[in-house]
């Protein structure tokens, strides 16, 4: 039986644009548009500013562009900044079942590699991103099937992002199969990422994908120079599934229908700037607001029911979830998301900011919240449903439960809706783009398969 790393490497080099099903192409274009929106929207966030200043101070060869600024830096530097800014708002795309953020890894790696080689076509960008998305999501789907992955403390996007970024970059750099295997092995040697940053509300939560992209790109370039890496980094005796997960994985989930099923069709575009696990609860609260006309002043008591996985990640420690210490706390808080939705009848970038966490109206609403664990809502290795029950003045009790949040494959966001989200993000950008640049960016991504050189996209992000 051929080891999975070898099968994946061959797959990365074999698949052509023409092999991609139309729905995969369309969802990949939404991912690309969404990436530019959330990256520009997060370009002035805490952590991003400091990282950019540091890497600009270090300087180096002008090989790839920092999105939104036009500054050119060495490939790993530029890509790390781009990935970090795209993850800063926790607004980037997500595969719910895999518990994975694919675009924040695949797209900055592909764009930086494309700049290095002197440009590549829109079709090749779509193919590389689609393959990377499929790979990183399969890695997550295969991990400890049926178990609540959050209890083990890993941040899977970061851990699996190293090998994924290496494979994506390796394809665009034109590595052969042997060198691509080496790139993935070198990347595996660096793989890291944990969830303690979420518990502590630390800015390193925003840094994880950037570390992975930087390391994956470095691995691809090292392999191109002849440096070797482990060849069996997925299923080997000391491969990632045995070392990190005690051998608990599904080979079928990892490799089943490889080349026929592309997980990109199951990637969700987020409508709210916070952890995807919070979204069912925001949806439920907004349904109460809009369908039951619940007004903030009428709310007396709020009861949130969630599964054990959601409670572990997004409701504890409870005090930090109802009174966030940092914006990161608010992004990973079910109580905060519900309080925002009920207090302001929305959930926008402004509601998860350093200013917002001091807002009396949201804090007052959050103080009315109780959280209970309902084992019936447990979903093991999937996003769990959310139930919100509100008692209003007069004693009426109103409740809504959401299984599939807005933006999921069951409730997808259309390309025009993605465009509206991107325009909202751009209004939050450190250097807002002129309207004509925004229009051209949207139009170019919409017809990405016809673009001769994707460096055109990067140029559109630089203010005049």
């Amino acid at each position: 039986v051929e080891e999975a790393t070898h099968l994946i490497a061959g797959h990365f080099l074999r698949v052509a644009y023409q092999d991609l099903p139309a729905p995969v192409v369309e969802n990949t274009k939404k991912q690309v548009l969404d990436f530019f929106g959330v990256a520009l929207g997060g370009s002035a966030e805490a952590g991003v500013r400091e990282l950019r200043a540091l890497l600009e101070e270090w300087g180096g060869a002008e090989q790839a562009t920092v999105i939104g600024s036009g500054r050119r830096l060495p490939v790993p530097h530029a890509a790390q900044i781009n990935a970090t800014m795209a993850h800063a708002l926790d607004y980037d795309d997500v595969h719910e079942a895999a518990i994975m953020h694919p675009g924040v890894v695949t797209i900055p790696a592909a764009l930086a590699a494309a700049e290095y080689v002197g440009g590549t076509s829109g079709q090749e960008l779509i193919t590389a991103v689609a393959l990377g998305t499929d790979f990183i999501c399969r890695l997550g789907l295969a991990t400890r099937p049926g178990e609540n992955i959050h209890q083990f403390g890993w941040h899977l996007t970061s851990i699996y992002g190293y090998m994924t970024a290496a494979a994506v970059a390796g394809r665009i750099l034109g590595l052969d199969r042997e060198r691509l295997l080496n790139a993935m092995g070198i990347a595996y040697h660096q793989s890291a990422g944990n969830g303690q940053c979420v518990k502590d509300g630390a800015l390193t939560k925003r840094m994880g994908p950037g570390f992975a992209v930087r390391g994956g790109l470095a691995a691809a370039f090292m392999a191109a120079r002849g440096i070797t890496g482990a060849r069996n980094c997925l299923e080997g005796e000391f491969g990632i599934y045995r070392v990190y997960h005690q051998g608990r994985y599904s080979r079928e989930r990892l490799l089943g229908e490889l080349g026929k099923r592309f997980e990109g069709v199951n990637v969700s575009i987020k409508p709210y700037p916070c952890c995807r696990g919070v979204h069912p609860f925001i949806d439920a609260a907004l349904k109460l607001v809009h369908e039951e006309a619940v007004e903030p002043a009428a709310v007396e008591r709020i009861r949130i029911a969630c599964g054990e996985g959601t409670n572990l990640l997004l409701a504890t420690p409870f005090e930090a979830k109802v009174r966030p210490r940092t914006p990161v706390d608010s992004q990973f808080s079910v109580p905060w998301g519900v309080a925002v939705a009920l207090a302001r009848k929305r959930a926008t970038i402004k509601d998860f900011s350093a200013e917002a966490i001091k807002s009396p109206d949201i804090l007052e609403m959050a103080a009315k919240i109780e959280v209970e664990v309902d084992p019936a809502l447990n979903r093991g290795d999937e996003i769990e449903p959310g139930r919100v029950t509100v008692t209003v003045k007069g004693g009426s009790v109103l409740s809504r439960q959401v299984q599939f949040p807005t933006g999921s494959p069951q409730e997808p966001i259309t390309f025009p809706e993605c465009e509206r989200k991107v325009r909202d993000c751009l209004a939050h950008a450190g250097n807002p783009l002129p309207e004509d640049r925004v229009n051209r960016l949207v139009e170019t991504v919409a017809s990405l398969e016809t673009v001769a050189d994707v460096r055109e996209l990067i140029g559109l992000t630089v203010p005049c």
Side-chain angles (χ1 to χ4, degrees):
V1 177
E2 192 170 8
E3 202 269 350
T5 317
H6 297 249
L7 293 170
I8 295 290
H11 173 65
F12 255 87
L13 301 182
R14 182 172 56 252
V15 172
Y17 173 80
Q18 291 72 23
D19 298 322
L20 300 177
V24 175
V25 172
E26 290 308 307
N27 218 41
T28 302
K29 290 195 292 185
K30 282 196 288 186
Q31 285 182 268
V32 172
L33 181 62
D34 188 67
F35 168 80
F36 280 111
V38 296
L40 290 164
S43 59
E45 290 298 297
V48 176
R49 300 188 303 266
E50 294 81 359
L51 176 66
R52 184 169 54 237
L54 175 63
L55 296 184
E56 287 179 352
E57 177 185 323
W58 288 352
E62 297 183 359
Q63 297 171 328
T65 305
V66 177
I67 291 171
S69 75
R71 180 71 183 266
R72 291 177 62 78
L73 295 170
V75 164
H77 288 8
Q80 181 180 8
I81 296 169
N82 292 340
T84 303
M85 67 171 69
H87 199 53
L89 298 172
D90 218 273
Y91 212 177
D92 44 312
D93 64 27
V94 62
H95 188 296
E96 292 155 19
I99 314 178
M100 195 65 61
H101 296 275
V104 76
V105 169
T106 59
I107 298 168
L111 290 173
E115 283 197 88
Y116 180 83
V117 300
T120 192
S121 71
Q123 290 189 2
E124 177 60 12
L125 179 70
I126 290 170
T127 307
V129 170
L131 285 167
T133 294
D134 186 54
F135 179 37
I136 198 170
C137 292
R138 284 173 177 269
L139 288 168
L141 288 169
T143 301
R144 297 178 183 266
E147 299 184 66
N148 169 25
I149 193 64
H150 295 303
Q151 67 182 302
F152 303 106
W154 298 116
H155 182 207
L156 294 186
T157 299
S158 294
I159 286 177
Y160 294 143
Y162 285 85
M163 281 186 280
T164 301
V168 168
R171 174 176 172 124
I172 291 178
L173 294 176
L175 301 188
D176 60 22
R177 190 170 182 269
E178 290 302 307
R179 283 181 166 78
L180 191 60
L181 275 171
N182 286 326
M184 293 168 71
I186 297 167
Y188 168 43
H189 210 80
Q190 306 171 72
S191 290
N194 62 78
Q196 190 61 40
C197 51
V198 174
K199 292 297 182 183
D200 293 343
L203 289 175
T204 41
K205 174 60 181 70
R206 300 174 171 184
M207 303 290 153
F211 290 143
V213 170
R214 179 190 183 92
L217 281 163
F221 281 97
M222 291 166 72
R225 298 291 180 99
I227 297 173
T228 59
R231 298 173 56 79
N232 301 302
C233 54
L234 294 177
E235 296 182 296
E237 181 182 0
F238 297 122
I240 199 165
Y241 283 119
R242 284 179 171 79
V243 173
Y244 287 46
H245 306 295
Q246 291 74 56
R248 304 215 288 273
Y249 76 105
S250 167
R251 182 178 169 90
E252 173 57 30
R253 285 193 178 194
L254 180 63
L255 298 172
E257 298 181 282
L258 189 66
K260 297 179 181 178
R261 168 173 59 84
F262 291 86
E263 283 299 326
V265 297
N266 295 318
V267 170
S268 302
I269 303 298
K270 286 185 176 184
Y272 315 121
C274 55
C275 177
R276 186 59 166 164
V278 179
H279 287 215
F281 301 87
I282 294 177
D283 275 343
L286 289 176
K287 284 180 182 290
L288 291 172
V289 166
H290 298 304
E291 295 174 5
E292 300 288 352
V294 172
E295 292 294 329
V299 176
E300 290 192 337
R301 181 186 176 200
I302 306 160
R303 191 167 69 255
I304 293 170
C306 64
E308 293 172 2
T310 301
N311 182 62
L312 177 67
L313 182 68
L314 302 170
T316 59
F318 183 73
E319 181 59 30
K321 301 304 183 182
V322 295
R323 299 188 68 85
R325 300 160 295 185
T326 67
V328 175
D329 277 341
S330 72
Q331 292 169 334
F332 287 83
S333 168
V334 163
W336 188 260
V338 170
V340 163
L342 292 174
R344 297 188 171 179
K345 304 181 182 182
R346 68 186 194 199
T348 69
I349 295 172
K350 294 179 180 179
D351 303 314
F352 295 84
S353 64
E355 294 74 27
I357 62 175
K358 303 172 186 175
S359 300
D361 60 329
I362 308 177
L363 290 167
E364 181 181 344
M365 190 67 73
K368 300 176 182 180
I369 289 175
E370 301 171 2
V371 176
E372 63 181 18
V373 175
D374 181 352
L377 300 178
N378 289 351
R379 291 297 183 272
D381 56 351
E382 297 180 4
I383 294 290
E384 296 177 330
R387 185 166 68 246
V388 177
T389 302
V390 174
T391 302
V392 297
K393 289 180 179 177
S396 295
V397 179
L398 308 169
S399 185
R400 289 291 186 277
Q401 180 169 315
V402 170
Q403 173 73 40
F404 302 112
T406 304
S408 65
Q410 296 84 1
E411 300 285 342
I413 283 177
T414 65
F415 193 89
E417 288 170 332
C418 184
E419 177 186 343
R420 284 196 288 275
K421 170 186 169 178
V422 167
R423 290 182 183 277
D424 288 341
C425 286
L426 292 179
H428 187 74
N431 293 311
L433 294 180
E435 184 68 16
D436 65 318
R437 285 287 182 101
V438 177
N439 293 339
R440 286 174 59 197
L441 180 63
V442 171
E443 292 165 2
T444 304
V445 175
S447 57
L448 185 55
E449 66 273 23
T450 68
V451 173
D453 186 342
V454 296
R455 289 178 295 178
E456 175 185 346
L457 278 174
I458 300 165
L460 291 173
T461 70
V462 181
C464 298

